[in-house]
Each structure stands twice: as structure tokens, then as C-alpha cells.
Amino acid sequence: MNMLEKSLLVGVTIAAALALPPDDVQAQCRLCATSSGSAGLSRLTDGQPEIPLQIEITTDLDFSRLAVLGNSGGVVRIDPMSGNRQIQGSIANLGGMALHGQGRLTGEPGRSVRIFLPERIQLSAPNGATAELERLETNLPELARLDQTGRLTFAFGGQLRVRGDASGQFRGRIAITASYE
């Protein structure tokens, strides 16, 4: 089973505002290469080479600009299906467009694949403040399939939990893992 992991840099600014600037973060698939030196190709049982699974993040997860109004903080959720942002708690919208993340898998046409997202990521700011990105999910079923051209696009979203005393520009990495089934 070929697996690959893609780390996506997630940034969030919280002071009088939260923001996630788009970052061009691209990681190489280091798990695709085999020890036989076959340039990432492994052999299937029928003797045909397997096309390595690759992932590309085409749109970063963006919570836009928000303000923390009270000590209780709040939660901001971006739906992976619609891209809609929902705000709960003592957080105000300061404008800007929130976006769900988008990615593309390429590999063996028609193959079933699974995409795994971590349960929780701690984001940190240079001043030592923290926030949590949690409940990450995609718009795909648990077992998805690459199309006839070997591609599959997907969206992902999640929930940002902010404490009332949090401020700064927060960053973290989302390790998106995909594998053939």
C-alpha cells in the first residue's frame, strides 16, 4: 500500500483579528520511493507498475479576519461541503472571505483511496499564545475512488477554537495522509 503525507501550513491571526493568509506550502512525497530504487514505482501482482499517489493543495484553509470580543473566546467552523463559515461565542466577523481548503490527488486511474486528517492541531503564535484547529473533515466518503484520468479533487474544513486571551498570528501544519486501498 502506497501512502503519502502532505503538510499544509495553517496560519491564523488573532489580535483584534484572526486571519489565514494563503501560503504556498508544498511537500514532496517521501514515502513513495521504494528501496529498490525504482523511482517510486512498486509492482502490482499483475506485474504492471503502480502509479505513485500524489497530493497537491490547491486552496489553503482560510478563516478570514475575526475579532475576539470577550474572555470566553469562541469557535469558528468552515464547512467542507459549502465553504460557509459559522461563528459562535465572543467572536466578530471583520470581513474578508473565508474559504474551505481544496486538494487534488493523482495516481492510478480507478483506484480506491482513503484520505486521513488529524483530529486536532495546536496552532501557535510568536508571542506564545495558542489556538486549536479541530474536527477536520473532507467532503469525500470514507472510501473514495480516483477517476478515469487518475484524479480526485476534494475540499476540507474544520473548526478553530479560540480562547478569549488569544492574540497574534497563529500557524500550524495539517498532515493530510492519503493511501491506496
Side-chain angles (χ1 to χ4, degrees):
M1 172 177 15
N2 254 353
M3 288 188 75
L4 72 104
E5 184 174 294
K6 174 72 174 186
S7 292
L8 169 66
L9 185 63
V10 176
V12 178
T13 301
I14 306 173
L18 301 174
L20 178 61
D23 291 320
D24 291 329
V25 178
Q26 305 245 338
Q28 297 296 319
C29 174
R30 297 176 188 190
L31 301 175
C32 296
T34 61
S35 59
S36 63
S38 61
L41 298 179
S42 62
R43 294 286 172 185
L44 295 174
T45 56
D46 64 3
Q48 295 296 316
E50 181 179 81
I51 298 172
L53 191 57
Q54 297 180 28
I55 190 169
E56 174 187 8
I57 301 304
T58 56
T59 304
D60 292 330
L61 186 57
D62 187 341
F63 286 90
S64 193
R65 297 165 29 104
L66 305 161
V68 178
L69 301 175
N71 291 336
S72 61
V75 173
V76 182
R77 183 179 188 287
I78 296 182
D79 181 67
M81 300 292 209
S82 66
N84 290 337
R85 177 179 58 184
Q86 300 156 349
I87 300 171
Q88 298 174 339
S90 299
I91 296 180
N93 181 0
L94 294 179
M97 186 166 61
L99 299 170
H100 58 211
Q102 294 181 341
R104 178 176 40 239
L105 287 176
T106 55
E108 191 80 32
R111 290 285 302 270
S112 294
V113 293
R114 288 188 192 263
I115 295 177
F116 304 94
L117 296 168
E119 290 182 29
R120 180 167 295 171
I121 295 106
Q122 184 163 337
L123 305 176
S124 59
N127 65 3
T130 61
E132 286 193 349
L133 186 57
E134 57 190 22
R135 293 186 167 178
L136 291 162
E137 58 184 341
T138 72
N139 63 344
L140 296 173
E142 187 175 329
L143 187 59
R145 187 174 299 278
L146 299 176
D147 67 14
Q148 302 146 331
T149 64
R151 292 180 178 218
L152 175 66
T153 59
F154 64 95
F156 57 96
Q159 180 172 289
L160 177 67
R161 182 171 302 279
V162 183
R163 292 189 324 263
D165 62 348
S167 66
Q169 186 169 13
F170 291 82
R171 298 220 179 256
R173 292 194 180 271
I174 301 173
I176 299 175
T177 305
S179 67
Y180 283 124
E181 283 303 305

